């Protein structure tokens, strides 16, 4: 089977699953829709593997293949086709997206089994993965924009899946609006690049990259910065990041899917895909690096103080995506994609472990209420620890090699990149602290009531289901979370998915160990062979960076243990009292929501009210519509007044009219 045939089939599999589940939601009983949805993704993964081996069988110069299904609109210089680009970069994304998504579907099979919208949930999940695959396989800007918009729509459906929760629908709308701001940026950026290159096709555009950079540098920079707005919105980078923590209102498998392998990585993929163009504009590359660096630091500071378990992991995602954006914008393409892959493994694992823990708490997500689950949930605890070690960058877990690879590149680049290097390691230290803060608070210490009940073999179910965000009572009907709870300790599907990811999070780094393996670098070589950025790492900086990363990771764990494990959080309380202003800044998320409200929301709301109350009511209704209708009403009233019914009056009017006409012609002829 050719790589392109396998790729088309991988794309079609989740689409078929979405259609079958979507149309048969009244037919499928029990867990049938879960089987269909999970099988569709497993099939997509198999086709991705076939595409991988089929591509490897070709020479390096033949590993970038475009396949068109039909020509949508080919007129003049416009070449809009339904075409995909199969190369090592898209194959890698296919493997990560379908592989991790299959495990998330398997986890959902058990986790969501008590929910009455079960079939609808799997239809949405399949549609989401199809949209992401369409995005990463797109062979031109047109299909990229379609996939980009589909992913945004799917995220809205999944985040607001529990549609009777007001907090969930608000979060879904927020994600939809912010992502569509990014969609506009992406579309306008594509227009600027089309204007300069005269083609929509990726490969044709990249072949002209150098000429575009010389002849249309202004248009190119403007187009790339607009594309970056799309990337920042999709990947939750400052200032378009505020939707991501709120997206935790969706079910936990949705959080894992959005954060681990699909939506938030789209921006990283886009920058890596556009590298021939970005290398022609230093300004665009600098914007990407600076935004990534600022985001990774700001998100880490918020993660240090947030007490909602899923939101801590969400801010961690923002921070890790910041590393990736910084890496691919600076030219560290393989390092950025390497971190994307390892992050997918350990972040999906952390979200799944958090879901198991939250189920044991009866949907309560507050770290302040969790304590001592280590003995009650040994399997979940083990998986959380492995995910935490990988995220903290402890050797030999996968996150250790990939994050340091990005920072090593900054050190070798020199100049102002040293700022990125230093901020990157400071943030790595903070990452270890807030990651293990979660573990020490949830799993150590005197067990809470829910943990004690579980130790005696009884899974806690609250007497009355409430929304953890605002305490509203829920009736566990369709549109609300189901009444049942499932934990990894007793659900095979959850255990299998988490166990597989735990293995990958542990050994996933072997594909790119310095001086040992360069498998990923070799595999991605055909995609990035045209890069003009060549940075060779020195052994001194390499070993210094690896040792520094390990020491900071272990130091962060030790500090977390000292504050929340040994001192039971008392030191944290004293620190908070000593620096209240800093704590207030972090706990209020640097006031980004308030700032956006003042700068964007309120002016637009005022403009809307002005348009409705002043422009529409006075000018449109009063002057245009009301004025015209008033003239008509006045004219008809005058005609009605003349209709007296007296024949002599009509004759007099006729004579007056005839006299007026005669007078007019006399004047004209004089």
């Amino acid at each position: 089977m050719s790589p392109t045939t396998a790729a088309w089939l991988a794309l079609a599999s989740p689409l078929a699953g979405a259609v079958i589940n979507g149309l048969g939601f009244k037919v499928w009983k029990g867990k049938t829709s879960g089987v269909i949805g999970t099988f569709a993704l497993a099939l997509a993964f198999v086709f991705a593997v076939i595409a991988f081996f089929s591509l490897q069988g070709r020479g390096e110069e033949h590993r970038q293949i475009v396949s068109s299904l039909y020509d949508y609109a080919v007129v003049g210089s416009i070449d809009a086709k339904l075409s995909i680009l199969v190369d090592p970069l898209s194959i890698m994304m296919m493997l990560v997206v379908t592989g991790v998504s299959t495990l998330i579907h398997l986890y959902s099979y058990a986790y969501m089994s008590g929910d009455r919208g079960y079939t609808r949930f799997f239809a949405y999940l399949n549609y989401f993965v199809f949209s992401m695959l369409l995005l990463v396989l797109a062979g031109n800007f047109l299909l990229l924009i379609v996939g980009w918009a589909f992913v945004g729509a799917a995220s809205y459906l999944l985040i607001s899946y529990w549609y009777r929760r007001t907090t969930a629908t608000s979060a879904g709308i927020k994600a939809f609006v912010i992502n569509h701001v990014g969609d506009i940026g992406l579309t306008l950026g594509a227009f600027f690049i089309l204007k300069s290159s005269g083609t929509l096709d990726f490969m044709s555009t990249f072949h002209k990259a150098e000429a575009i950079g010389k002849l249309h540098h202004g248009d190119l920079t403007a187009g790339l910065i607009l594309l970056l707005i799309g990337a920042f919105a999709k990947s939750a980078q400052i200032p378009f990041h505020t939707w991501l923590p709120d997206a935790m209102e969706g079910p936990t498998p949705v959080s894992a899917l959005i954060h681990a392998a699909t939506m938030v990585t789209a921006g990283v993929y886009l920058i890596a895909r556009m590298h021939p163009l970005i290398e022609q504009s230093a300004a665009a590359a600098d914007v990407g690096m600076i935004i990534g660096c600022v985001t990774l630091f700001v998100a880490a500071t918020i993660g240090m103080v947030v007490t909602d378990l899923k939101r801590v992991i969400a801010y961690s995602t923002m921070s890790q995506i910041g590393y990736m954006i910084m890496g691919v914008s600076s030219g560290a393409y393989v390092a950025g994609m390497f971190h994307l892959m390892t992050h997918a493994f350990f972040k999906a694992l952390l979200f799944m472990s958090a879901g198991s823990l939250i189920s044991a708490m009866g949907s309560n997500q507050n770290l302040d209420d969790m304590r001592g689950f280590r003995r009650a949930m040994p399997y979940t605890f083990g998986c959380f620890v492995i995910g935490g070690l990988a995220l903290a960058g402890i050797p030999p877990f996968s996150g250790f090699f990939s994050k340091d690879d990005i920072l090593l590149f900054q050190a070798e680049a020199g100049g102002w990149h040293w700022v990125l290097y230093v901020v990157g390691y400071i943030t790595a230290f903070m990452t270890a602290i807030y990651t293990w803060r979660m573990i020490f608070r949830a799993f150590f210490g005197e067990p809470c009531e829910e943990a004690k009940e579980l130790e005696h073999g009884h899974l806690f179910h609250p007497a009355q289901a409430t929304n953890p965000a605002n305490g509203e009572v829920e009736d566990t009907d369709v549109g609300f979370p189901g009444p049942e709870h499932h934990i990894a300790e007793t659900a095979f599907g959850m255990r299998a998915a988490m166990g597989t990811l735990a293995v990958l999070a542990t050994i996933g780094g072997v594909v790119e160990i310095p001086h040992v393996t360069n498998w990923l670098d070799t595999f991605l070589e055909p995609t990035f062979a045209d890069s003009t950025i060549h940075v060779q790492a020195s052994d001194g900086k390499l070993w210094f960076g690896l040792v520094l990363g390990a020491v900071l990771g272990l130091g962060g764990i030790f500090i977390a243990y000292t504050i929340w494990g040994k001192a039971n959080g008392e030191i944290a309380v004293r620190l908070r009292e000593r620096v209240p202003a800093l704590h207030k800044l972090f706990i209020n998320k640097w006031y980004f929501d308030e700032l956006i409200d003042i700068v964007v929301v309120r002016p637009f709301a005022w403009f809307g009210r002005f348009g409705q109350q002043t422009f529409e009511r006075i000018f449109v209704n009063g002057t245009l519509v009301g004025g015209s209708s008033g003239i008509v009403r006045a004219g008809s009233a005058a005609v009605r007044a003349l209709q007296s019914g007296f024949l002599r009056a009509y004759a007099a009017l006729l004579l007056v009219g005839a006299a007026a006409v005669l007078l007019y012609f006399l004047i004209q002829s004089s």
Side-chain angles (χ1 to χ4, degrees), residues 196 208-221 277 280-281:
S196 306
K208 300 176 182 176
E210 192 174 348
I212 296 170
K214 290 178 180 174
L215 300 175
H216 308 280
H217 191 74
D219 283 349
L220 178 64
T221 300
L277 298 173
Q280 301 298 322
S281 172

Side-chain angles (χ1 to χ4, degrees), residues 47 51 65 90-91 122 150 170 187 199 202 217 298 320 325 388 456 462 492 503 532-533 539-540 577 588 630 649:
F47 285 126
I65 315 164
S90 59
I91 291 285
F122 275 94
F150 278 7
S170 299
T187 307
T199 176
F202 285 163
H217 191 74
V298 169
Q320 298 303 307
I325 294 282
H456 292 92
F492 172 76
V503 172
T532 58
I533 300 174
D539 284 350
E577 290 172 350
N588 285 292

Side-chain angles (χ1 to χ4, degrees), residues 54 71-72 94 104 119 182 202 231 284 291 298 315 324 339 349 366 374 382 416 480 518 524 569 575 613 629:
S54 181
D71 297 346
Y72 178 72
M94 281 175 63
I104 292 172
T119 305
F202 285 163
I291 293 295
V298 169
Y315 280 108
M324 299 174 209
H339 198 51
L349 178 63
N366 195 340
R374 182 164 44 96
W416 71 278
F480 283 111
N518 289 304
L524 292 175
L575 283 173
Q613 296 175 2
S629 61

Side-chain angles (χ1 to χ4, degrees), residues 119-195:
T119 305
R120 178 168 58 91
F121 181 76
F122 275 94
Y124 288 171
L125 280 190
N126 278 190
Y127 170 58
F128 188 94
V129 179
F130 159 72
S131 305
M132 188 65 196
L133 287 175
L134 186 67
L135 190 159
V136 300
L137 281 168
N140 56 50
F141 285 99
L142 180 68
L143 211 57
L144 174 73
I145 292 168
V146 173
W148 203 266
F150 278 7
V151 168
S155 69
Y156 164 75
L157 294 172
L158 285 169
I159 293 168
S160 54
Y161 168 75
W162 287 322
Y163 55 84
R164 290 187 187 175
R165 272 186 176 180
T166 53
T167 51
T169 52
S170 299
I173 292 170
K174 188 175 185 179
F176 186 81
V177 170
I178 293 178
N179 273 281
H180 272 68
V181 172
D183 294 350
I184 294 169
L186 183 77
T187 307
L188 292 175
F191 169 76
F192 271 94
I193 293 171
L194 169 65
K195 181 168 169 275

Side-chain angles (χ1 to χ4, degrees), residues 364-382:
N364 186 349
Q365 301 177 186
N366 195 340
L367 276 169
D368 289 339
D369 299 331
M370 298 177 189
R371 203 73 186 156
F373 272 101
R374 182 164 44 96
R375 287 194 301 273
M377 305 180 74
Y379 191 83
T380 301
F381 171 66

Side-chain angles (χ1 to χ4, degrees), residues 16 23 55 82 166 239 244 255 268 343 349 382 399 406 518 558 629 642:
L23 296 179
L55 194 72
L82 183 58
T166 53
L244 191 66
S255 306
V268 182
H343 176 263
L349 178 63
I406 293 173
N518 289 304
F558 176 74
S629 61
L642 293 174

